[in-house]
């Protein structure tokens, strides 16, 4: 799937639907994210934001529609007009190229910070332990935690644990980073340190899709703002235009609450 400019979108969704039983959570999502772009997705709880994010790396299977990452179908291969589901090991291989950071940090409590960051490259990519350690220490330095390499997760604040989670995702050298409300579980005074790391990633050109309630981050860092409600995209555009001047009443009502 290549744009007229010749640049392949990093993420492209066409008519994405997702049902959980009879509940339709996504009702035909059409979006695209270009390489190096930061897309911020906002909306009320239950609007389908996190579900869409999970569909991008096939943690949730689509009910209908198609999703591509870097020009390749997510979860399927196409022959003629038919789609064939990939085997789990094939899905896992594709998923290695997509980093994901969740609300909860999901660090291994029995491993040091450095070991947490080293684990996936060693186990999944077969990276030598010495090389994985060197890369982990470099990444921990980049998120401001070089001095915590030998600490255990329980010894860290929530903000520090989330920064370790970001370093862990980056250790796999992803082409795309997904953030699912990465600051929502943090105390307010710890939010800034995580957003600083995310800002630096954006400045370095990482393609990112960020589900967030942090409107300051969306306004300053986002290239595109997407407002979702009821499983559909209600409005999208430049966050510096949408946030101060939303065009849809539903967007106005939502922003009126979160910005008040």
């Amino acid at each position: 799937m290549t744009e007229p400019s010749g640049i392949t979108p990093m993420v492209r969704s066409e008519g994405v639907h997702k049902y959980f039983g009879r509940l339709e959570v996504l009702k035909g999502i059409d979006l695209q994210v270009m390489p190096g772009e930061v897309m911020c997705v906002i909306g009320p709880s239950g609007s389908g934001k996190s579900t869409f994010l999970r569909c991008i790396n096939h943690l949730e299977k689509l009910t209908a529609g198609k999703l591509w990452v870097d020009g390749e179908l997510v979860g399927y291969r196409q022959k003629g007009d038919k789609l064939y589901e990939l085997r789990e090991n094939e899905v896992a291989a594709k998923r290695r190229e997509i980093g994901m950071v969740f609300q909860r940090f999901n660090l291994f409590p029995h491993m040091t910070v450095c070991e947490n960051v080293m684990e996936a490259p060693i186990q999944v990519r077969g990276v030598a332990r010495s090389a994985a350690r060197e890369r982990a220490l470099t990444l921990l330095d980049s998120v401001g935690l070089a001095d915590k390499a030998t600490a255990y997760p329980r010894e860290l604040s929530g903000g520090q644990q989330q920064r370790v989670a970001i370093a862990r995702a980056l250790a796999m050298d992803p082409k795309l980073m997904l953030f699912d409300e990465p600051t929502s579980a943090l105390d307010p005074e710890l939010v800034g340190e995580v957003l600083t790391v995310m800002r630096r990633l954006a400045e370095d050109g990482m393609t990112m899709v960020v589900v967030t309630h942090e409107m300051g981050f969306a306004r300053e860092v986002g290239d595109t703002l997407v407002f979702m409600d009821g499983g559909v995209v209600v409005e999208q555009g430049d966050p510096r235009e949408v946030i101060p001047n939303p065009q849809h009443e539903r967007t106005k009502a939502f922003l009126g609450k979160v910005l008040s």
Side-chain angles (χ1 to χ4, degrees):
M1 305 301 295
T2 303
E3 289 298 289
S5 63
I7 301 173
T8 300
M10 184 58 73
V11 180
R12 182 184 179 110
S13 67
E14 286 185 0
V16 168
H17 290 254
K18 175 63 182 178
Y19 280 85
F20 291 104
R22 294 184 179 180
L23 178 63
E24 189 177 17
V25 177
L26 299 176
K27 303 176 182 178
I29 303 297
D30 297 312
L31 285 173
Q32 69 176 28
V33 185
M34 300 307 291
E37 182 180 346
V38 178
M39 176 180 282
C40 293
V41 185
I42 64 171
S45 297
S47 60
K49 310 182 301 294
S50 294
T51 298
F52 178 67
L53 210 63
R54 292 171 65 84
C55 287
I56 293 175
N57 64 359
H58 210 57
L59 288 175
E60 299 290 352
K61 295 181 181 180
L62 308 187
T63 306
K66 295 178 183 177
L67 257 170
W68 293 263
V69 170
D70 201 16
E72 295 189 1
L73 275 171
V74 173
Y76 300 89
R77 70 166 57 87
Q78 186 165 354
K79 286 187 178 179
D81 294 333
K82 290 190 175 181
L83 291 179
Y84 297 88
E85 191 165 355
L86 297 178
R87 293 189 294 270
E88 186 54 42
N89 64 328
E90 294 174 301
V91 172
K94 301 288 187 187
R95 199 176 283 144
R96 295 173 194 169
E97 301 179 332
I98 304 173
M100 188 158 184
V101 178
F102 300 88
Q103 295 179 36
R104 297 291 174 180
F105 326 119
N106 300 325
L107 300 177
F108 297 116
H110 61 289
M111 292 183 177
T112 66
V113 163
C114 190
E115 288 167 345
N116 265 278
V117 179
M118 293 166 58
E119 183 70 3
I122 292 171
Q123 298 298 332
V124 179
R125 291 197 183 277
V127 175
R129 191 169 187 84
S130 58
R133 177 178 172 77
E134 185 176 339
R135 171 77 169 141
L137 291 172
T138 298
L139 287 168
L140 288 171
D141 185 49
S142 74
V143 299
L145 292 172
D147 61 331
K148 299 294 185 182
T150 58
Y152 286 87
R154 64 179 178 274
E155 300 170 319
L156 306 182
S157 69
Q160 290 171 328
Q161 290 187 59
Q162 192 62 295
R163 284 187 279 156
V164 174
I166 293 172
R168 180 178 61 181
L170 292 173
M172 292 293 284
D173 293 317
K175 60 176 70 171
L176 170 68
M177 285 285 285
L178 309 176
F179 292 87
D180 188 7
E181 299 192 24
T183 60
S184 64
L186 301 179
D187 292 333
E189 65 268 21
L190 301 178
V191 168
E193 62 190 55
V194 174
L195 294 181
T196 296
V197 171
M198 294 171 64
R199 281 189 182 91
R200 198 174 302 129
L201 275 180
E203 290 167 1
D204 289 342
M206 176 63 74
T207 310
M208 298 159 60
V209 183
V210 184
V211 172
T212 185
H213 291 294
E214 299 294 335
M215 293 300 146
F217 176 86
R219 186 188 296 109
E220 295 164 28
V221 182
D223 297 296
T224 305
L225 184 73
V226 173
F227 172 62
M228 288 181 64
D229 190 27
V232 301
V233 174
V234 176
E235 186 167 353
Q236 64 176 304
D238 185 325
R240 286 156 288 280
E241 296 174 4
V242 174
I243 292 174
N245 189 30
Q247 299 301 301
H248 292 261
E249 289 301 321
R250 184 66 191 92
T251 318
K252 289 179 185 177
F254 176 79
L255 289 173
K257 289 180 181 176
V258 298
L259 295 173
S260 59

